[in-house]
Amino acid sequence: MSAESDAADISELGRIVMRYELADLKDLADFDRYVRAEGRLENHLMRVAERLGSFYDIEGACRLLDQVLAFNQTLRRKIDDALPLHEDDRRARAELGGWRDEADGVILLIEGMKAMFRAQEHTLKGHVRDAERLLSGARANFERLRTRGPGPLAEAGAFRHALAGAHLQLSKGVAKLQSGDTTDATERFARAHIGFARLLDDPERAAAHGDVRELHDLADRARALQRHTEFLRETKAGEYALAIRTGEEAVKYYERLAAAARAPGVPKVVRNLRGMEHKYVLGLLIWCRAEKAVEDRDWRRCDELIAEAHRTWRESVYDSLLNEDVGAASLRPQLDALDMMLQGTRRRRDSEERHQKQIARLEEELGRLRQTHIWTQGGTAMAGGDHHETINVNGPVTGVTGIGSHARASAETVNIAQPSTGSLDLAAVRAELADLREALADLARTPAQQAVVAEVARAEEAAQVEDESRVRRHLTAAGEWALETARLLGQTAVEAVIRTGLGS
């Protein structure tokens, strides 16, 4: 059948086809006119069906395809009835056989197209596994079609086999993303993008067998999902600076899809779906920027970004509510879960600000303590100033000077006891470990930092059962970050244990 379409009135074509379907056809010339009229009509119906499918009117698209299916089933039945009348006419039998084979091919094509539309419907409802099953069935139909031999239908089968394969990769990527496997999901989305892009390499072929605009949208969508998945993996690792750059790329693709959906003639349902996706991913990017603001200690900026992310997600939810009539309610962003993310960021922001203020006070106090000077007189240490204060000294220390605004220094050497690596004061260590663990947990962003928190927690458990060797082992494993934090918090007992373990 011809893949071309003319300007014939569709209603008139419908009447012509119906007249032939009701007639008792015997003459090949009548069959030829019947097949040509039906071919023009079904090509028109298939184009309209694909347009409806791209607008998520799955039921409307499938009703039109069912009409095309019925046309070809009737044609095949009438050919079977006519074949015995031409037993001795080889040319007539070959002609009729060719039309019957072509009707069989169109039936395969239509059944595959319907399966792809139904897969799209299941994807909208969140039934990804059902979508994969339908797409696999569609590919099997198109594979049979493309291996039937040369001709327009074989070429259509090859094109749609590749198209269904790209859709299948997209669907598998969504399933992997839902299960949390971001690595495999990223690879699936990349394969889907390559599949759609290859179909666009030959614009004439793409225009003959599909909707070029929709193919561009599908390629953009696959790339958007790929960047979106990479963004999620980077935020999970705490790599917020890198995630922001990746998220900005994802948002650009979603913006492009949303802009295409605002074109004249595109139904509101598509516009709302694309707007929902864009705002949802934009909200994730804004949230990531809020997390980065916590890292940068820009408290005011963090507060602004949290409020902006919340507003953006609410707009996304509103757009999704407008699409419940197409069964896309399952795609609605879960505002409660998103708000929990923002609450977590707000808690980290408040905790980080509180700790930074504590650290600033501690550093200020340490700064004052570093200004303290001791001068000696005889066997005692005396504080300088307008009064004398006696300090007991128990060990070798050198290089002391004076204390106070009127301090004096002598050249004598005073002995102060050196730290011992003997038994720990487990009560003092235990008292400090809980605060240290809490401070580190609030500050931890990367897997390495979280491992430090775990070591401190193990040391705390060991201190509870007075296992000194385990306390030393876990605190030594906690390393430099725990040491520096303990120093800033003024935790002298824990600091001494870690310094001894590290040999510093």
Side-chain angles (χ1 to χ4, degrees):
M1 297 176 192
S2 173
E4 299 177 356
S5 177
D6 55 24
D9 180 80
I10 299 304
S11 297
E12 180 60 24
L13 274 176
R15 286 191 291 270
I16 293 171
V17 170
M18 184 175 295
R19 191 161 58 245
Y20 279 121
E21 286 184 337
L22 296 174
D24 183 15
L25 297 180
K26 298 177 181 178
D27 187 73
L28 286 183
D30 288 336
F31 263 109
D32 184 64
R33 286 189 289 271
Y34 171 28
V35 168
R36 289 178 184 277
E38 183 181 297
R40 291 197 300 272
L41 180 59
E42 69 186 23
N43 284 337
H44 172 78
L45 294 177
M46 288 166 62
R47 284 198 302 273
V48 175
E50 289 201 276
R51 189 70 170 163
L52 291 176
S54 69
F55 292 160
Y56 301 104
D57 184 357
I58 306 301
E59 290 302 326
C62 287
R63 279 196 299 271
L64 292 178
L65 292 180
D66 282 338
Q67 289 184 42
V68 177
L69 197 60
F71 289 153
N72 283 274
Q73 289 169 341
T74 300
L75 172 61
R76 195 185 192 288
R77 188 166 56 250
K78 292 186 79 65
I79 290 173
D80 286 341
D81 291 341
L83 278 171
L85 303 175
H86 300 276
E87 288 184 356
D88 300 327
D89 190 339
R90 181 180 298 178
R91 186 185 68 82
R93 292 183 65 82
E95 194 80 18
L96 290 168
W99 287 329
R100 184 178 61 181
D101 288 345
E102 201 162 354
D104 288 340
V106 173
I107 289 171
L108 282 174
L109 177 65
I110 297 305
E111 288 176 343
M113 291 175 66
K114 283 183 62 179
M116 288 190 67
F117 285 140
R118 292 301 181 189
Q120 185 177 352
E121 181 180 42
H122 281 289
T123 300
L124 279 173
K125 294 178 179 178
H127 305 156
V128 181
R129 296 301 182 189
D130 289 332
E132 288 182 27
R133 175 180 53 79
L134 286 163
L135 287 169
S136 295
R139 285 194 83 204
N141 269 32
F142 298 142
E143 173 67 15
R144 289 171 60 194
L145 185 59
R146 77 186 181 106
T147 56
R148 286 168 57 89
L153 281 175
E155 176 59 27
F159 181 89
R160 291 189 180 276
H161 181 268
L163 179 62
H167 273 287
L168 186 58
Q169 291 297 328
L170 201 65
S171 185
K172 287 180 179 292
V174 171
K176 292 294 182 181
L177 182 58
Q178 290 176 347
S179 69
D181 188 348
T182 53
T183 300
D184 199 0
T186 300
E187 183 178 341
R188 298 284 185 179
F189 292 140
R191 289 180 180 177
H193 177 264
I194 291 170
F196 293 128
R198 282 177 177 168
L199 291 174
L200 287 165
D201 286 343
D202 187 343
E204 290 185 6
R205 178 173 181 249
H209 300 291
D211 186 328
V212 174
R213 179 196 58 79
E214 185 185 3
L215 281 174
H216 279 290
D217 285 353
L218 286 167
D220 281 348
R221 181 167 175 76
R223 186 66 87 189
L225 284 166
Q226 181 186 351
R227 292 291 181 261
H228 177 193
T229 307
E230 291 168 349
F231 164 83
L232 293 176
R233 185 170 64 242
E234 290 158 1
T235 56
K236 186 177 180 180
E239 300 288 346
Y240 295 116
L242 181 59
I244 287 171
R245 291 195 294 272
T246 306
E248 287 171 346
E249 287 186 47
V251 166
K252 286 180 182 177
Y253 283 107
Y254 282 109
E255 283 177 344
R256 188 185 301 175
L257 290 166
R262 291 192 292 270
V266 178
K268 287 184 179 179
V269 61
V270 180
R271 192 177 310 156
N272 293 334
L273 279 170
R274 295 293 175 254
M276 178 198 72
E277 292 171 343
H278 171 233
K279 291 168 187 173
Y280 169 68
V281 176
L282 178 59
L284 286 175
L285 174 61
I286 296 169
W287 161 77
C288 184
R289 287 171 175 161
E291 287 283 353
K292 185 65 170 63
V294 174
E295 282 189 353
D296 296 339
R297 302 173 191 174
D298 190 340
W299 318 126
R300 181 176 178 179
R301 177 64 173 156
C302 180
D303 292 340
E304 293 172 349
L305 290 167
I306 287 174
E308 185 182 353
H310 181 75
R311 286 194 304 271
T312 304
W313 278 331
R314 288 192 72 85
E315 291 174 5
S316 178
V317 170
Y318 176 75
D319 284 345
S320 73
L321 291 174
L322 301 175
N323 289 334
E324 290 187 337
D325 58 337
V326 296
S330 66
L331 300 179
R332 183 190 309 167
Q334 300 301 309
L335 192 59
D336 289 345
L338 298 173
D339 279 345
M340 286 182 62
M341 290 171 58
L342 295 179
Q343 290 169 13
T345 302
R346 188 177 288 109
R347 283 195 297 270
R348 282 189 289 276
R349 170 245 184 272
D350 293 343
S351 176
E352 184 79 6
E353 184 182 26
R354 185 172 61 252
H355 281 294
Q356 289 302 321
K357 288 179 178 178
Q358 291 174 350
I359 289 169
R361 287 195 298 271
L362 287 168
E363 289 182 329
E364 183 180 354
E365 182 64 24
L366 286 171
R368 286 196 297 271
L369 291 174
R370 291 191 185 101
Q371 299 302 316
T372 300
H373 302 284
I374 297 177
W375 60 277
T376 62
Q377 181 177 351
T380 62
M382 308 297 293
D386 295 332
H387 64 281
H388 286 189
E389 184 177 351
T390 301
I391 302 172
N392 294 321
V393 179
N394 296 314
V397 159
T398 62
V400 295
T401 57
I403 185 169
S405 57
H406 303 288
R408 298 186 304 276
S410 77
E412 299 182 27
T413 297
V414 181
N415 294 327
I416 301 178
Q418 297 296 317
S420 169
T421 60
S423 298
L424 294 179
D425 183 351
L426 285 172
V429 171
R430 188 165 53 245
E432 293 176 356
L433 279 174
D435 290 339
L436 177 60
R437 173 180 48 76
E438 182 179 343
L440 291 171
D442 288 336
L443 296 171
R445 294 289 183 273
T446 66
Q449 291 174 333
Q450 291 163 357
V452 171
V453 176
E455 291 292 348
V456 172
R458 294 186 188 104
E460 185 180 4
E461 292 172 359
Q464 295 290 345
V465 297
E466 298 188 351
D467 188 335
E468 181 178 328
S469 63
R470 283 177 56 212
V471 171
R472 290 184 182 277
R473 183 169 70 253
H474 290 305
L475 284 179
T476 299
E480 295 288 347
W481 186 44
L483 173 62
E484 179 63 14
T485 305
R487 183 188 70 78
L488 293 173
L489 294 174
Q491 296 181 332
T492 55
V494 171
E495 182 184 356
V497 176
I498 299 176
R499 283 194 184 279
T500 300
L502 297 177
S504 58

